[in-house]
Amino acid sequence: MKHIFIFIVLNFVIVSILVSQRIEINFGIVNSKVNFFHPSYQPVGNRPFATSNWKVFPTIGYRLAFDINSSWKFGFGFDVFKVGGRDFYPYNDTLKVKIIDFKAGDTINLFHPYPRNLLIHTVRVPIFISKNIFRWLNFELGYSLSYSFRKNFPFVVGLFPEDQADYYNPFSHQLIGGISILYRDFSFRALYNYSFTYFFDTGRHYNVHLPDQYWEMRARSQFFSLTIGYTFKSF
């Protein structure tokens, strides 16, 4: 699946550049955070369990846009960036949680020490429509399929060694919304990106002795992106 996705993306990039009349190259920053969902866990300490702070990453990409009429445009592109979060690892040494369903009051280690900042290297293919609101101001709405090709955190988890497994999903889907300013050959975009799929999802693991009790962990990202671009004529 990984190799098929890379092949499709490379062909997409090459073909879209060749057939385009104008191409926008952009760069900027991504401000990202990660939220964990843990319905069966009680955090140790005052912070929510494994919810990161915002962290800024660089991004670079290109965009192609085609006029539908004088007000509407359709477009797509390709982006390379990082997502993740600062202080993703909220405790000093090992992540400790109270298993309130299984062993009330007991504390066990789920992870060994790992980097405090989560870094996920990502490529994505955004597809969007834009509506001109007033002169240079436009509203944009879109969707993107993302693939993470590198990460600095092993998403391997289990209450006991015999049930530990890797629950990381490199593919994710985002909804994109925001505004853009287009002035001559320059562009400025401010977009909010919401992942509606989880990049980490253990599913529910039920207690064989108490079938109504389970443990579950999942996580997804959200980020803002600010980019500046310049449009070139096709090569």
Side-chain angles (χ1 to χ4, degrees), residues 14-118:
I14 294 171
V15 172
S16 61
I17 291 176
L18 290 177
V19 302
S20 66
Q21 295 180 342
R22 296 170 67 86
I23 180 171
E24 175 197 308
I25 306 297
N26 58 66
F27 66 93
I29 60 172
V30 167
N31 193 19
S32 169
K33 73 177 297 186
V34 172
N35 292 321
F36 256 91
F37 300 85
H38 52 98
S40 57
Y41 283 85
Q42 171 68 41
V44 174
N46 295 323
R47 292 187 53 188
F49 172 68
T51 297
S52 74
N53 292 319
W54 294 94
K55 184 171 177 60
V56 176
F57 301 99
T59 178
I60 188 170
Y62 78 84
R63 288 233 177 172
L64 305 174
F66 304 91
D67 293 334
I68 299 176
N69 53 41
S70 59
S71 299
W72 290 88
K73 294 179 185 291
F74 167 80
F76 53 87
F78 181 77
D79 299 319
V80 181
F81 58 97
K82 296 179 184 179
V83 292
R86 181 171 54 85
D87 295 330
F88 167 78
Y89 205 66
Y91 308 108
N92 293 330
D93 297 317
T94 53
L95 184 59
K96 298 180 178 180
V97 297
K98 290 183 179 179
I99 312 303
I100 57 175
D101 288 338
F102 295 161
K103 300 177 181 180
D106 292 346
T107 299
I108 65 172
N109 297 337
L110 289 185
F111 297 92
H112 296 292
Y114 290 125
R116 294 184 65 88
N117 297 333
L118 174 64

Side-chain angles (χ1 to χ4, degrees), residues 65-203:
F66 304 91
D67 293 334
I68 299 176
N69 53 41
S70 59
S71 299
W72 290 88
K73 294 179 185 291
F74 167 80
F76 53 87
F78 181 77
D79 299 319
V80 181
F81 58 97
K82 296 179 184 179
V83 292
R86 181 171 54 85
D87 295 330
F88 167 78
Y89 205 66
Y91 308 108
N92 293 330
D93 297 317
T94 53
L95 184 59
K96 298 180 178 180
V97 297
K98 290 183 179 179
I99 312 303
I100 57 175
D101 288 338
F102 295 161
K103 300 177 181 180
D106 292 346
T107 299
I108 65 172
N109 297 337
L110 289 185
F111 297 92
H112 296 292
Y114 290 125
R116 294 184 65 88
N117 297 333
L118 174 64
L119 305 176
I120 301 177
H121 300 248
T122 305
V123 295
R124 74 170 181 178
V125 178
I127 301 172
F128 64 93
I129 57 172
S130 65
K131 172 70 167 64
N132 181 256
I133 301 174
F134 176 75
R135 299 185 68 182
W136 309 317
L137 183 62
N138 304 273
F139 170 75
E140 296 193 4
L141 182 66
Y143 155 84
S144 76
L145 170 63
S146 299
Y147 175 77
S148 67
F149 57 92
R150 184 180 179 185
K151 56 183 172 58
N152 71 334
F153 200 96
F155 291 91
V156 177
V157 65
L159 291 180
F160 308 101
E162 60 271 17
D163 69 356
Q164 288 186 350
D166 186 353
Y167 296 101
Y168 183 71
N169 178 19
F171 292 94
S172 60
H173 306 267
Q174 291 95 33
L175 293 176
I176 307 170
I179 60 171
S180 63
I181 296 175
L182 306 179
Y183 178 71
R184 295 185 179 179
D185 292 330
F186 293 92
S187 67
F188 171 80
R189 283 187 176 83
L191 301 175
Y192 174 69
N193 303 260
Y194 175 76
S195 296
F196 57 90
T197 56
Y198 299 101
F199 65 82
F200 174 57
D201 191 352
T202 64

Side-chain angles (χ1 to χ4, degrees), residues 215-228:
W215 65 272
E216 179 180 19
M217 300 170 68
R218 56 189 190 271
R220 61 186 173 197
S221 63
Q222 58 178 309
F223 57 95
F224 295 91
S225 60
L226 299 175
T227 59
I228 298 174

